[in-house]
Amino acid sequence: MADRTSSSMIKSSLRKHSELIYVFAAAFLMLILWFSVASVVTWLRDVPFPTPLSTLRRLFILLNGEPLLEHSLYLHTFNSLLRWLIGFVIASFSGLIFGLVAGWWKPLARISMPTVHVLQMIPGLAWIPVALLLFGVGEASTVFMITMTAFAPVVINVVAGVRQIDETYIRAARMLGLNRYMLFTRVLLPGALPQILSGLRVGLGNGWRVLVAAEMIVGSGSGLGYAIIQSRWTLDFTSAFSCLVIICLIGLAVERLIFLPLERRTIEVWGLQREQ
């Protein structure tokens, strides 16, 4: 028994070290590619393309408090995260409720899902004229674009998750006397959790991408997207690249520190099997 425990611990340790090696290898490859592109562009076009070192140096300066477009990098990041969070919460909550109801009640799904699929095919930037007509330039337009872009994938995945639940479980729950609320919370919701997490992940990524683009066009004077697009006027490309690094780090942090642990915890609690 002790030998088995020791062997499993060794395997787990080796697996973690292997994952770290791949992470560092991927990061090293990305830096090499970035440096190569910067060197080639600078040599061919005589344009000072920011390198990883110059971008990192500029990022440290901004993190130390130097203002970027009259605001600190922290304020730009906070405002972007706040808009992203508001839009995603609206999209995820409404998409989850609507998806559960549409997955359960087939007539609603037949009527509404074609429209949801059409929304899924609309690029995030295509919502700009609609957002401007409804809300004008400002925070509301950005939140609206995030919500519309994240809503469709959440609904589609939730409906797919509900539909894949075996009818036997639903009939058994009804025979046991579960009311509609208990049926939703104890059968439909747990059974659809893998698809729900997939929909939330896709919606979150879509919302983050359209957030940056929206801030470039309908922004209100702050945000990472606004800072990137405005940096072109002063040719401050290293600051723009610094904002890009922040955007990438936030995306990776959300994926690795929130969604992966949440997925593992969900599998442990509900006894679900991760789809391959």
PDB file of all heavy atoms in Angstrom, residues 50-69:
ATOM      1  N   PRO A  50       9.136  47.062 -31.347  1.00  0.00           N
ATOM      2  CA  PRO A  50       9.449  46.748 -29.945  1.00  0.00           C
ATOM      3  C   PRO A  50       9.884  45.295 -29.761  1.00  0.00           C
ATOM      4  O   PRO A  50       9.247  44.372 -30.265  1.00  0.00           O
ATOM      5  CB  PRO A  50       8.128  47.014 -29.214  1.00  0.00           C
ATOM      6  CG  PRO A  50       7.392  47.979 -30.090  1.00  0.00           C
ATOM      7  CD  PRO A  50       7.761  47.594 -31.496  1.00  0.00           C
ATOM      8  N   THR A  51      10.957  45.103 -29.042  1.00  0.00           N
ATOM      9  CA  THR A  51      11.449  43.773 -28.709  1.00  0.00           C
ATOM     10  C   THR A  51      10.896  43.353 -27.349  1.00  0.00           C
ATOM     11  O   THR A  51      10.354  44.183 -26.600  1.00  0.00           O
ATOM     12  CB  THR A  51      12.984  43.761 -28.658  1.00  0.00           C
ATOM     13  OG1 THR A  51      13.412  44.642 -27.594  1.00  0.00           O
ATOM     14  CG2 THR A  51      13.568  44.244 -29.987  1.00  0.00           C
ATOM     15  N   PRO A  52      11.030  42.074 -26.991  1.00  0.00           N
ATOM     16  CA  PRO A  52      10.575  41.660 -25.652  1.00  0.00           C
ATOM     17  C   PRO A  52      11.250  42.437 -24.533  1.00  0.00           C
ATOM     18  O   PRO A  52      10.603  42.802 -23.542  1.00  0.00           O
ATOM     19  CB  PRO A  52      10.943  40.174 -25.609  1.00  0.00           C
ATOM     20  CG  PRO A  52      10.941  39.743 -27.036  1.00  0.00           C
ATOM     21  CD  PRO A  52      11.430  40.916 -27.817  1.00  0.00           C
ATOM     22  N   LEU A  53      12.549  42.731 -24.678  1.00  0.00           N
ATOM     23  CA  LEU A  53      13.268  43.445 -23.624  1.00  0.00           C
ATOM     24  C   LEU A  53      12.784  44.887 -23.487  1.00  0.00           C
ATOM     25  O   LEU A  53      12.528  45.366 -22.372  1.00  0.00           O
ATOM     26  CB  LEU A  53      14.769  43.414 -23.909  1.00  0.00           C
ATOM     27  CG  LEU A  53      15.660  44.062 -22.850  1.00  0.00           C
ATOM     28  CD1 LEU A  53      15.466  43.374 -21.504  1.00  0.00           C
ATOM     29  CD2 LEU A  53      17.132  44.006 -23.278  1.00  0.00           C
ATOM     30  N   SER A  54      12.629  45.589 -24.615  1.00  0.00           N
ATOM     31  CA  SER A  54      12.169  46.976 -24.549  1.00  0.00           C
ATOM     32  C   SER A  54      10.728  47.051 -24.036  1.00  0.00           C
ATOM     33  O   SER A  54      10.370  47.972 -23.297  1.00  0.00           O
ATOM     34  CB  SER A  54      12.276  47.634 -25.931  1.00  0.00           C
ATOM     35  OG  SER A  54      11.418  46.990 -26.870  1.00  0.00           O
ATOM     36  N   THR A  55       9.913  46.078 -24.409  1.00  0.00           N
ATOM     37  CA  THR A  55       8.529  46.061 -23.922  1.00  0.00           C
ATOM     38  C   THR A  55       8.482  45.809 -22.426  1.00  0.00           C
ATOM     39  O   THR A  55       7.724  46.461 -21.689  1.00  0.00           O
ATOM     40  CB  THR A  55       7.726  44.975 -24.653  1.00  0.00           C
ATOM     41  OG1 THR A  55       7.736  45.238 -26.062  1.00  0.00           O
ATOM     42  CG2 THR A  55       6.288  44.931 -24.168  1.00  0.00           C
ATOM     43  N   LEU A  56       9.312  44.872 -21.961  1.00  0.00           N
ATOM     44  CA  LEU A  56       9.355  44.579 -20.527  1.00  0.00           C
ATOM     45  C   LEU A  56       9.853  45.787 -19.740  1.00  0.00           C
ATOM     46  O   LEU A  56       9.316  46.100 -18.664  1.00  0.00           O
ATOM     47  CB  LEU A  56      10.255  43.367 -20.273  1.00  0.00           C
ATOM     48  CG  LEU A  56      10.318  42.837 -18.840  1.00  0.00           C
ATOM     49  CD1 LEU A  56       8.946  42.361 -18.392  1.00  0.00           C
ATOM     50  CD2 LEU A  56      11.329  41.705 -18.728  1.00  0.00           C
ATOM     51  N   ARG A  57      10.863  46.480 -20.274  1.00  0.00           N
ATOM     52  CA  ARG A  57      11.381  47.673 -19.602  1.00  0.00           C
ATOM     53  C   ARG A  57      10.302  48.755 -19.497  1.00  0.00           C
ATOM     54  O   ARG A  57      10.107  49.359 -18.447  1.00  0.00           O
ATOM     55  CB  ARG A  57      12.582  48.203 -20.380  1.00  0.00           C
ATOM     56  CG  ARG A  57      13.308  49.338 -19.658  1.00  0.00           C
ATOM     57  CD  ARG A  57      14.448  49.876 -20.493  1.00  0.00           C
ATOM     58  NE  ARG A  57      15.433  48.831 -20.794  1.00  0.00           N
ATOM     59  CZ  ARG A  57      15.691  48.378 -22.014  1.00  0.00           C
ATOM     60  NH1 ARG A  57      15.034  48.876 -23.069  1.00  0.00           N
ATOM     61  NH2 ARG A  57      16.599  47.441 -22.206  1.00  0.00           N
ATOM     62  N   ARG A  58       9.565  48.962 -20.597  1.00  0.00           N
ATOM     63  CA  ARG A  58       8.493  49.955 -20.589  1.00  0.00           C
ATOM     64  C   ARG A  58       7.350  49.542 -19.653  1.00  0.00           C
ATOM     65  O   ARG A  58       6.765  50.387 -18.963  1.00  0.00           O
ATOM     66  CB  ARG A  58       7.958  50.144 -22.015  1.00  0.00           C
ATOM     67  CG  ARG A  58       6.812  51.134 -22.150  1.00  0.00           C
ATOM     68  CD  ARG A  58       7.215  52.504 -21.683  1.00  0.00           C
ATOM     69  NE  ARG A  58       6.148  53.486 -21.868  1.00  0.00           N
ATOM     70  CZ  ARG A  58       6.100  54.662 -21.259  1.00  0.00           C
ATOM     71  NH1 ARG A  58       7.068  55.020 -20.415  1.00  0.00           N
ATOM     72  NH2 ARG A  58       5.093  55.493 -21.486  1.00  0.00           N
ATOM     73  N   LEU A  59       7.066  48.256 -19.596  1.00  0.00           N
ATOM     74  CA  LEU A  59       6.011  47.757 -18.716  1.00  0.00           C
ATOM     75  C   LEU A  59       6.355  48.026 -17.255  1.00  0.00           C
ATOM     76  O   LEU A  59       5.489  48.447 -16.470  1.00  0.00           O
ATOM     77  CB  LEU A  59       5.810  46.260 -18.944  1.00  0.00           C
ATOM     78  CG  LEU A  59       4.740  45.574 -18.079  1.00  0.00           C
ATOM     79  CD1 LEU A  59       3.375  46.212 -18.297  1.00  0.00           C
ATOM     80  CD2 LEU A  59       4.688  44.080 -18.391  1.00  0.00           C
ATOM     81  N   PHE A  60       7.612  47.816 -16.879  1.00  0.00           N
ATOM     82  CA  PHE A  60       8.023  48.089 -15.504  1.00  0.00           C
ATOM     83  C   PHE A  60       7.896  49.574 -15.171  1.00  0.00           C
ATOM     84  O   PHE A  60       7.500  49.946 -14.067  1.00  0.00           O
ATOM     85  CB  PHE A  60       9.461  47.623 -15.275  1.00  0.00           C
ATOM     86  CG  PHE A  60       9.585  46.153 -15.004  1.00  0.00           C
ATOM     87  CD1 PHE A  60      10.575  45.401 -15.612  1.00  0.00           C
ATOM     88  CD2 PHE A  60       8.719  45.518 -14.131  1.00  0.00           C
ATOM     89  CE1 PHE A  60      10.681  44.052 -15.378  1.00  0.00           C
ATOM     90  CE2 PHE A  60       8.823  44.159 -13.879  1.00  0.00           C
ATOM     91  CZ  PHE A  60       9.813  43.428 -14.504  1.00  0.00           C
ATOM     92  N   ILE A  61       8.228  50.429 -16.133  1.00  0.00           N
ATOM     93  CA  ILE A  61       8.097  51.874 -15.918  1.00  0.00           C
ATOM     94  C   ILE A  61       6.627  52.248 -15.692  1.00  0.00           C
ATOM     95  O   ILE A  61       6.288  53.024 -14.794  1.00  0.00           O
ATOM     96  CB  ILE A  61       8.678  52.650 -17.117  1.00  0.00           C
ATOM     97  CG1 ILE A  61      10.197  52.457 -17.186  1.00  0.00           C
ATOM     98  CG2 ILE A  61       8.334  54.133 -17.024  1.00  0.00           C
ATOM     99  CD1 ILE A  61      10.836  53.056 -18.416  1.00  0.00           C
ATOM    100  N   LEU A  62       5.736  51.676 -16.508  1.00  0.00           N
ATOM    101  CA  LEU A  62       4.309  51.963 -16.349  1.00  0.00           C
ATOM    102  C   LEU A  62       3.771  51.408 -15.034  1.00  0.00           C
ATOM    103  O   LEU A  62       2.929  52.031 -14.384  1.00  0.00           O
ATOM    104  CB  LEU A  62       3.528  51.378 -17.526  1.00  0.00           C
ATOM    105  CG  LEU A  62       3.788  52.022 -18.895  1.00  0.00           C
ATOM    106  CD1 LEU A  62       3.073  51.242 -19.996  1.00  0.00           C
ATOM    107  CD2 LEU A  62       3.337  53.474 -18.896  1.00  0.00           C
ATOM    108  N   LEU A  63       4.248  50.235 -14.653  1.00  0.00           N
ATOM    109  CA  LEU A  63       3.801  49.647 -13.390  1.00  0.00           C
ATOM    110  C   LEU A  63       4.302  50.434 -12.185  1.00  0.00           C
ATOM    111  O   LEU A  63       3.708  50.360 -11.098  1.00  0.00           O
ATOM    112  CB  LEU A  63       4.268  48.194 -13.293  1.00  0.00           C
ATOM    113  CG  LEU A  63       3.598  47.203 -14.254  1.00  0.00           C
ATOM    114  CD1 LEU A  63       4.232  45.831 -14.133  1.00  0.00           C
ATOM    115  CD2 LEU A  63       2.097  47.121 -13.990  1.00  0.00           C
ATOM    116  N   ASN A  64       5.381  51.168 -12.362  1.00  0.00           N
ATOM    117  CA  ASN A  64       5.914  51.997 -11.282  1.00  0.00           C
ATOM    118  C   ASN A  64       5.176  53.324 -11.136  1.00  0.00           C
ATOM    119  O   ASN A  64       5.534  54.133 -10.271  1.00  0.00           O
ATOM    120  CB  ASN A  64       7.404  52.259 -11.486  1.00  0.00           C
ATOM    121  CG  ASN A  64       8.258  51.050 -11.142  1.00  0.00           C
ATOM    122  OD1 ASN A  64       7.891  50.248 -10.283  1.00  0.00           O
ATOM    123  ND2 ASN A  64       9.388  50.901 -11.814  1.00  0.00           N
ATOM    124  N   GLY A  65       4.179  53.558 -11.988  1.00  0.00           N
ATOM    125  CA  GLY A  65       3.338  54.723 -11.788  1.00  0.00           C
ATOM    126  C   GLY A  65       3.371  55.777 -12.861  1.00  0.00           C
ATOM    127  O   GLY A  65       2.638  56.774 -12.760  1.00  0.00           O
ATOM    128  N   GLU A  66       4.214  55.626 -13.880  1.00  0.00           N
ATOM    129  CA  GLU A  66       4.243  56.644 -14.931  1.00  0.00           C
ATOM    130  C   GLU A  66       2.907  56.640 -15.673  1.00  0.00           C
ATOM    131  O   GLU A  66       2.422  55.590 -16.096  1.00  0.00           O
ATOM    132  CB  GLU A  66       5.381  56.383 -15.917  1.00  0.00           C
ATOM    133  CG  GLU A  66       5.441  57.422 -17.035  1.00  0.00           C
ATOM    134  CD  GLU A  66       6.658  57.244 -17.913  1.00  0.00           C
ATOM    135  OE1 GLU A  66       7.775  57.110 -17.352  1.00  0.00           O
ATOM    136  OE2 GLU A  66       6.502  57.237 -19.153  1.00  0.00           O
ATOM    137  N   PRO A  67       2.265  57.799 -15.846  1.00  0.00           N
ATOM    138  CA  PRO A  67       0.941  57.831 -16.484  1.00  0.00           C
ATOM    139  C   PRO A  67       1.003  57.485 -17.969  1.00  0.00           C
ATOM    140  O   PRO A  67       1.992  57.772 -18.650  1.00  0.00           O
ATOM    141  CB  PRO A  67       0.472  59.273 -16.261  1.00  0.00           C
ATOM    142  CG  PRO A  67       1.719  60.066 -16.055  1.00  0.00           C
ATOM    143  CD  PRO A  67       2.704  59.133 -15.399  1.00  0.00           C
ATOM    144  N   LEU A  68      -0.053  56.867 -18.442  1.00  0.00           N
ATOM    145  CA  LEU A  68      -0.229  56.553 -19.854  1.00  0.00           C
ATOM    146  C   LEU A  68      -1.539  57.182 -20.288  1.00  0.00           C
ATOM    147  O   LEU A  68      -2.605  56.773 -19.836  1.00  0.00           O
ATOM    148  CB  LEU A  68      -0.261  55.032 -20.067  1.00  0.00           C
ATOM    149  CG  LEU A  68      -0.549  54.527 -21.480  1.00  0.00           C
ATOM    150  CD1 LEU A  68       0.532  55.006 -22.448  1.00  0.00           C
ATOM    151  CD2 LEU A  68      -0.636  53.009 -21.505  1.00  0.00           C
ATOM    152  N   LEU A  69      -1.464  58.218 -21.117  1.00  0.00           N
ATOM    153  CA  LEU A  69      -2.651  58.957 -21.549  1.00  0.00           C
ATOM    154  C   LEU A  69      -3.414  59.510 -20.346  1.00  0.00           C
ATOM    155  O   LEU A  69      -4.624  59.333 -20.206  1.00  0.00           O
ATOM    156  CB  LEU A  69      -3.558  58.062 -22.391  1.00  0.00           C
ATOM    157  CG  LEU A  69      -2.927  57.495 -23.670  1.00  0.00           C
ATOM    158  CD1 LEU A  69      -3.852  56.475 -24.305  1.00  0.00           C
ATOM    159  CD2 LEU A  69      -2.600  58.611 -24.656  1.00  0.00           C
TER     160      LEU A  69
END
